[in-house]
């Protein structure tokens, strides 16, 4: 009885997919999330739980090495596919499932291991990504990398003057529910962040997807306020989906992403008001979510003279205040999808805040992020990033020099 073959065929019929989104590939990422939901294929949070690595977006040479490390962490049987555009995602998923099905005839389960020559034969494609709290190279300075890429801890003074171990850890650029193209390099003592640096050097040039209506309107192209409201509402749902997923509420994360996809598909306003109101009511009234995000990532616009880090006015308050503003804005935008008036890109806020071509709002959010992370626990750091949800693509699209 070929029990191994049966198990492999069953896994290939509904593979566990690990998405790896590359900068500049937001449409492909959105299509991948939509199709995975429609096909009911499970999304893996870590390489160890994945069968299929799905890379989306244009090739990014700066992220080839992180992608190879990610691919090396997937256990066999496994497959890797790359969809550079949204139109290629469906065929890429079908191809990946076919490659996994081919494993059913390869023999015993002894092939499901992390080493061996199979790794060099399975996929010639490039791409990018390292899931799940990646570390730096882990080279000790002697040319000998440490096991798993983890560098040795070093000692350093903490805020109380004690000499404690310090661990260097990088979050991103391919964590689940993480801003595409962002890497945050941390120095930890215990589980407390002592230092943080944001690296957006992998962000490509081109037009950022979520800010496209504002860029086109600023260039003199005709864009209606209703079209901008639809795009901003979809961006708000995308941000809400990330925050809710990180906070551990997958049902409402799916609801937010389903509404996002319907907005981008051009669904009429009348069909969207009910789902938008239900989402706002359910999330806005959640006491658990409010308790979880209260006091996290507090920002002071500078007008109140508070002790919190100063940031742009649109980021005022803590993570709870920000997601509640997202819900209010979503309700407003869904009711203005048919507004035929021309868009004034400087009077109407873009998804991340007031739009200025030379100073995109995500630049201010990314500059603010390190100050919010220092002193936070590692688990809280994910919520802080999700509660701001900066878009690194805005920097390259506006001609702002990437940092790294």
């Amino acid at each position: 009885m070929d029990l191994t073959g049966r198990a492999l065929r069953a896994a290939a019929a509904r593979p566990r997919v690990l998405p790896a989104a590359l900068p500049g590939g937001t449409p492909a990422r959105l299509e991948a999330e939509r199709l995975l939901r429609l096909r009911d294929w499970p999304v893996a949070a870590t390489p160890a739980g994945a069968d299929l690595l799905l890379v989306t977006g244009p090739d990014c040479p700066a992220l080839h090495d992180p992608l190879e490390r990610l691919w090396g962490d997937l256990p066999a049987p496994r497959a890797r596919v790359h969809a550079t555009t949204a139109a290629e995602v469906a065929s890429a998923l079908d191809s990946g499932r076919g490659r996994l099905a081919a494993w059913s005839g390869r023999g015993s389960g002894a092939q499901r291991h992390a080493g061996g020559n199979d790794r060099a034969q399975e996929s010639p494609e490039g791409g990018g990504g390292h899931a799940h709290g990646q570390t730096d190279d882990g080279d000790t300075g002697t040319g000998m990398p440490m096991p798993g890429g983890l560098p040795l801890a070093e000692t350093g003074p903490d805020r109380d003057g004690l000499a404690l171990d310090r661990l260097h850890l990088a979050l991103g650029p391919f964590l689940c529910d993480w801003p595409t193209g962002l890497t945050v390099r941390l120095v930890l003592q215990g589980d407390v962040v002592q230092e943080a640096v944001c690296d957006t050097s992998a962000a490509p040039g081109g037009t950022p997807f979520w800010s496209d209506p504002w860029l086109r309107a600023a260039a003199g192209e005709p864009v209606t306020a209703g079209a901008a409201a639809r795009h901003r509402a979809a961006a708000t749902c995308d941000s809400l989906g990330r925050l809710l997923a990180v906070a551990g509420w997958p049902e409402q994360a799916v609801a937010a992403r389903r509404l996002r996809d319907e907005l981008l598909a051009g669904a009429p306003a009348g069909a969207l008001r009910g789902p938008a109101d239900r989402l706002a009511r359910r999330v806005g009234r959640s006491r658990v979510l409010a308790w979880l995000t209260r006091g996290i990532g507090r920002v002071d616009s500078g007008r109140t003279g508070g002790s919190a880090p100063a940031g742009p006015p649109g980021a005022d308050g803590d993570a709870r205040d920000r997601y509640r503003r997202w819900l209010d804005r979503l309700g407003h935008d869904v009711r203005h999808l048919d507004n035929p008036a021309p868009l004034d890109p400087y009077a109407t806020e873009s998804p991340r805040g007031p739009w200025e071509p030379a100073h995109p709002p995500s630049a201010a959010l990314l500059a603010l992020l390190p100050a919010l992370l220092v002193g936070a626990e590692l688990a809280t750091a994910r919520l802080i990033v999700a509660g701001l949800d900066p878009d690194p693509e805005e920097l390259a699209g506006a001609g702002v020099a990437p940092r790294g």
Side-chain angles (χ1 to χ4, degrees):
M1 185 185 304
D2 185 12
L3 294 178
T4 298
R6 290 185 181 182
L8 291 174
R9 285 190 292 272
R14 189 169 176 261
R16 297 164 295 177
V17 181
L18 179 65
L22 296 173
T26 298
R29 172 181 69 83
L30 297 176
E31 179 67 4
E33 292 179 1
R34 187 184 73 87
L35 288 179
L36 290 175
R37 187 181 70 248
L38 292 178
R39 296 186 181 201
D40 194 28
W41 288 10
V43 176
T46 66
D51 305 307
L52 175 62
L53 175 62
L54 173 61
V55 183
T56 55
D59 185 39
C60 182
L63 295 178
H64 281 181
D65 288 343
L67 177 62
E68 292 307 317
R69 293 197 296 270
L70 174 64
W71 173 238
D73 287 341
L74 264 72
R78 61 186 188 155
R80 181 172 76 184
V81 292
H82 188 171
T84 58
T85 66
E88 299 174 5
V89 174
S91 60
L93 290 174
D94 293 337
S95 174
R97 181 166 59 180
R99 294 182 193 182
L100 289 171
W103 275 87
S104 61
R106 289 200 183 186
S108 70
Q111 288 181 325
R112 188 174 178 89
H113 59 83
N117 293 330
D118 288 326
R119 291 187 170 251
Q121 300 171 358
E122 288 166 21
S123 178
E125 295 133 62
H130 197 317
H132 198 87
Q134 304 146 256
T135 61
D136 296 318
D137 293 340
D139 195 319
T140 62
T142 63
M144 181 183 297
M146 297 304 295
L150 285 170
L152 286 173
E154 59 186 25
T155 58
D158 72 349
R159 291 175 294 179
D160 298 323
L162 301 175
L164 301 177
D165 286 342
R166 294 159 62 94
L167 178 66
H168 294 261
L169 181 72
L171 297 181
F174 295 99
L175 279 166
C176 290
D177 304 304
W178 183 262
T180 303
L182 174 64
T183 302
V184 179
R185 305 189 185 280
L186 305 176
V187 176
L188 301 174
Q189 287 184 317
D191 63 346
V192 178
V193 177
Q194 301 295 324
E195 300 175 18
V197 176
C198 294
D199 181 356
T200 59
S201 57
T207 302
F209 178 80
W210 294 121
S211 304
D212 179 65
W214 283 261
L215 286 169
R216 291 191 290 114
E221 296 184 31
V223 179
T224 66
R230 181 178 293 273
H231 215 70
R232 188 172 68 174
T236 301
C237 289
D238 193 51
S239 296
L240 282 168
R242 277 187 179 144
L243 176 63
L244 293 169
V246 172
W249 202 357
E251 296 84 0
Q252 292 307 306
V254 169
R257 288 164 175 162
R258 183 182 294 115
L259 179 57
R260 174 201 66 192
D261 295 340
E262 292 173 353
L263 282 159
L264 293 175
L272 297 172
R273 290 173 186 167
D277 289 344
R278 285 193 294 273
L279 177 66
R281 185 167 56 250
R282 184 76 184 275
V283 174
R285 292 180 179 178
S286 171
R287 295 182 180 179
V288 174
L289 183 62
W291 169 81
L292 185 65
T293 55
R294 184 177 58 218
I296 290 177
R298 182 172 295 280
V299 177
D300 182 359
S301 66
R303 296 174 300 194
T304 61
S307 59
D316 272 1
D318 55 18
R320 179 185 60 177
D321 298 324
R322 286 190 286 275
Y323 82 70
R324 286 177 172 174
R325 282 199 296 270
W326 289 349
L327 294 172
D328 292 341
R329 187 176 68 188
L330 175 62
H332 173 274
D333 286 344
V334 166
R335 284 162 174 76
H336 292 81
L337 300 181
D338 300 322
N339 187 350
L343 170 66
D344 182 347
Y346 305 107
T348 303
E349 286 193 2
S350 70
R352 266 74 184 184
W355 181 258
E356 296 182 36
H359 303 285
S362 286
L365 296 178
L366 287 166
L368 176 67
L369 192 54
L372 297 179
L373 293 174
V374 171
E377 296 180 355
L378 182 59
T380 305
R382 290 295 312 272
L383 279 172
I384 292 174
V385 175
L388 282 178
D389 198 29
D391 182 7
E393 293 181 7
E394 286 188 353
L395 278 65
V400 178
R403 294 178 298 166

